[in-house]
Amino acid sequence: MSNKNTLLAISLSLSLFLVFGAVGMLAADEEPIKIGALNPLTGPLASWGKPVTNGLELGITHVNEAGGPLGRKIDLLVRDTKTDSNTASSAAGNLIDVNDVPAILGPLATTTATAIAEGETIPNEVLQISTCTGIPYTDLDDNDYAFRTSAPDNYQGKLLGELALDVG
């Protein structure tokens, strides 16, 4: 796995800890906590989506083996976005409406993350944590339901530009 894919998988795994806080109020129930994961398992970003999904599944395995958050197991419900906004929105809607997930991890692409946030997670008050870096996701009126684990493009671009000038 490349360094970028490794960092991406680690970022999404760490996102689980934010999700646990969001679902802590569900502790009285003995049912597993269902968390959605939307990643490109096919399509143009599949080479990123598969390792990220593997990292999430590994993180969930470790958390569950340690007893789960507040003594409950996590069920990770993974869906393929195909890096397509319509497919991703439909999958998110299904996770929210049918599976009643309180949180969704992903997706990777800004266009799909923004579409899901605007059409599904924000209106339904479902936590969304994405690794996308695009400005449209940054500028969402999200009522604190949309988060990211990576710095936005405008910050990264500025810092990389400064680094290029310093290094020469």
Side-chain angles (χ1 to χ4, degrees), residues 22-52:
V23 297
M25 64 188 143
L26 305 173
D29 197 347
E30 294 299 320
E31 294 287 318
I33 301 168
K34 297 177 185 176
I35 302 296
L38 296 170
N39 287 317
L41 304 176
T42 60
L45 292 180
S47 63
W48 285 66
K50 291 176 184 178
V52 167

Side-chain angles (χ1 to χ4, degrees), residues 7-71:
L7 288 174
L8 198 55
I10 290 169
S11 293
L12 280 174
S13 294
L14 292 175
S15 297
L16 293 173
F17 293 107
L18 285 175
V19 171
F20 297 153
V23 297
M25 64 188 143
L26 305 173
D29 197 347
E30 294 299 320
E31 294 287 318
I33 301 168
K34 297 177 185 176
I35 302 296
L38 296 170
N39 287 317
L41 304 176
T42 60
L45 292 180
S47 63
W48 285 66
K50 291 176 184 178
V52 167
T53 299
N54 290 342
L56 287 172
E57 289 172 343
L58 179 62
I60 294 291
T61 298
H62 287 286
V63 168
N64 284 341
E65 286 175 354
L70 302 171

Side-chain angles (χ1 to χ4, degrees), residues 93-150:
N94 180 271
L95 286 168
I96 294 167
D97 297 335
V98 175
N99 301 110
D100 199 29
V101 299
I104 291 178
L105 304 175
L108 305 177
T110 299
T111 54
T112 53
T114 303
I116 290 166
E118 291 176 330
E120 302 296 337
T121 57
I122 296 168
N124 288 291
E125 298 181 344
V126 170
L127 178 68
Q128 180 180 344
I129 302 171
S130 177
T131 59
C132 73
T133 59
I135 303 305
Y137 193 79
T138 302
D139 292 341
L140 287 171
D141 182 14
D142 65 5
N143 203 24
D144 290 333
Y145 285 101
F147 293 87
R148 68 159 35 111
T149 60
S150 301

Side-chain angles (χ1 to χ4, degrees), residues 148-166:
R148 68 159 35 111
T149 60
S150 301
D153 289 337
N154 56 337
Y155 293 170
Q156 293 182 48
K158 181 180 186 242
L159 291 172
L160 289 172
E162 291 171 1
L163 178 64
L165 285 173
D166 289 347

